[in-house]
Amino acid sequence: QWLVQSHRELIDAAYCINGDAGDPYELKGTRVVRNVEASEKIYHDLQLETHTPGGHSSLPTPDNAIYRLSAALNRLAAYRFPVDLNDVTRGYFRAVAPMAPANAAADMRAVAAIPTDTAAANRLAAQSAFNNAQVRTTCVATRLEGGHANNALPQTARAVVNCRILPTENPDSVAATVRRVIADNAVTVTALDTAILSPPSPLVPEVLDPIAKITKDLWGAIPVVPNMETGATDGIYLRNVGMPVFGVSGVFLDQDDIRAHGRDERIGVREFYEGVESSYRLVKALTATSPY
């Protein structure tokens, strides 16, 4: 982030390879998919806050800050942002469809088509949180505080709502949607950070072809699938200034034992060494025609 702001000329490049994203997956020891992260959602925190006069808890009134905020959050919890796909997410569903059960595969192909089949997208979203995050912006309450004493009516209640916004969507419109959905002018919605648009990276053969060849050479005929990161990576600082970023890890993770940010986070020994070899081959392939 500092280099982007202060010395962009030192890292000016046609694209970036992020070696700690786009995790490939294995299932019961069998490699099943090689992901390439070509997009990531926009991180944005909103604060919801409301104030009421307060008073003694022995004399409750209808206007209670905690109840008012809770009602607003419940309305937000029931809302689903519209389905919206980009080239990367369409490519993802198109690529994983052959590996899915028949019903899900049909829905994935319908979602990848233009126009998108919204009903199919909602069926997929109901199956998993990951599918839901792939097809729409999400906003969820992550922190909550209110009141100041056990024997007093609350004067203030506030919550943090964390949004993961589709890369093609305007963060201001998301905040406006949140205000509309909570439908209470007494609950203010304030941005806690500056969300910056980060467009998906183009799926260029210059990058994807070497990845596909190396994948086949090392692991055989497993699909190379473009995907959209539902969280965030440091690649966002480069995407924010218009540099394409491709997340390409060679370290396979157990699909049934994902421990990111959890206890005993780990990778396999075999997977580590294969990841080193994959990264070495990719760097050689991408710099084969470089004058440096």
Side-chain angles (χ1 to χ4, degrees):
Q1 186 178 14
W2 177 81
L3 283 169
V4 166
Q5 293 172 348
S6 306
H7 291 285
R8 172 67 186 275
E9 73 280 1
L10 296 179
I11 56 170
D12 195 26
Y15 57 85
C16 166
I17 298 295
N18 180 0
D20 193 30
D23 296 318
Y25 290 118
E26 61 185 26
L27 189 61
K28 296 180 173 56
T30 299
R31 275 71 165 139
V32 293
V33 64
R34 180 82 187 274
N35 292 310
V36 178
E37 181 214 87
S39 177
E40 58 187 300
K41 283 185 155 180
I42 303 167
Y43 182 105
H44 194 32
D45 284 327
L46 300 173
Q47 180 175 275
L48 277 58
E49 185 171 4
T50 188
H51 300 270
T52 49
H56 201 283
S57 61
S58 65
L59 301 171
T61 64
D63 195 13
N64 181 298
I66 291 176
Y67 293 161
R68 182 181 288 273
L69 180 63
S70 297
L73 291 173
N74 281 333
R75 288 190 286 271
L76 182 61
Y79 178 74
R80 297 292 178 269
F81 281 85
V83 170
D84 188 13
L85 279 83
N86 55 57
D87 289 344
V88 173
T89 48
R90 289 184 201 281
Y92 167 78
F93 282 114
R94 194 178 297 116
V96 299
M99 298 178 283
N103 289 343
D107 282 342
M108 288 176 177
R109 293 188 181 96
V111 166
I114 298 175
T116 297
D117 185 329
T118 301
N122 285 328
R123 286 192 295 270
L124 290 173
Q127 293 174 10
S128 74
F130 179 80
N131 285 343
N132 183 60
Q134 288 293 308
V135 301
R136 57 168 48 94
T137 288
T138 61
C139 288
V140 61
T142 55
R143 299 184 66 181
L144 183 66
E145 60 179 306
H148 57 282
N150 292 350
N151 64 343
L153 300 176
Q155 296 177 13
T156 303
R158 65 176 62 91
V160 172
V161 170
N162 177 243
C163 295
R164 305 296 177 125
I165 302 170
L166 291 172
T168 52
E169 192 165 356
N170 189 320
D172 290 338
S173 71
V174 172
T177 297
V178 170
R179 293 186 183 94
R180 175 177 58 81
V181 169
I182 66 175
D184 189 344
N185 291 333
V187 179
T188 61
V189 178
T190 307
L192 295 180
D193 54 35
T194 301
I196 302 175
L197 292 175
S198 298
S201 301
L203 300 174
V204 294
E206 175 187 357
V207 174
L208 292 185
D209 287 354
I211 294 172
K213 182 181 185 306
I214 292 165
T215 300
K216 184 176 181 180
D217 290 346
L218 288 176
W219 298 293
I222 64 172
V224 175
V225 178
N227 74 345
M228 178 179 68
E229 172 63 52
T230 58
T233 75
D234 284 345
I236 198 165
Y237 300 119
L238 299 176
R239 282 199 175 96
N240 286 349
V241 295
M243 184 185 298
V245 179
F246 301 94
V248 189
S249 170
V251 180
F252 278 79
L253 303 181
D254 186 341
Q255 190 169 297
D256 291 334
D257 190 30
I258 302 299
R259 302 185 179 214
H261 298 332
R263 292 184 60 187
D264 301 323
E265 183 173 359
R266 65 192 185 188
I267 58 176
V269 174
R270 179 185 64 167
E271 287 76 4
F272 169 78
Y273 284 108
E274 289 182 355
V276 171
E277 180 63 21
S278 172
S279 297
Y280 174 70
R281 294 189 187 190
L282 182 59
V283 170
K284 285 186 67 176
L286 295 178
T287 58
T289 58
S290 171
Y292 300 106

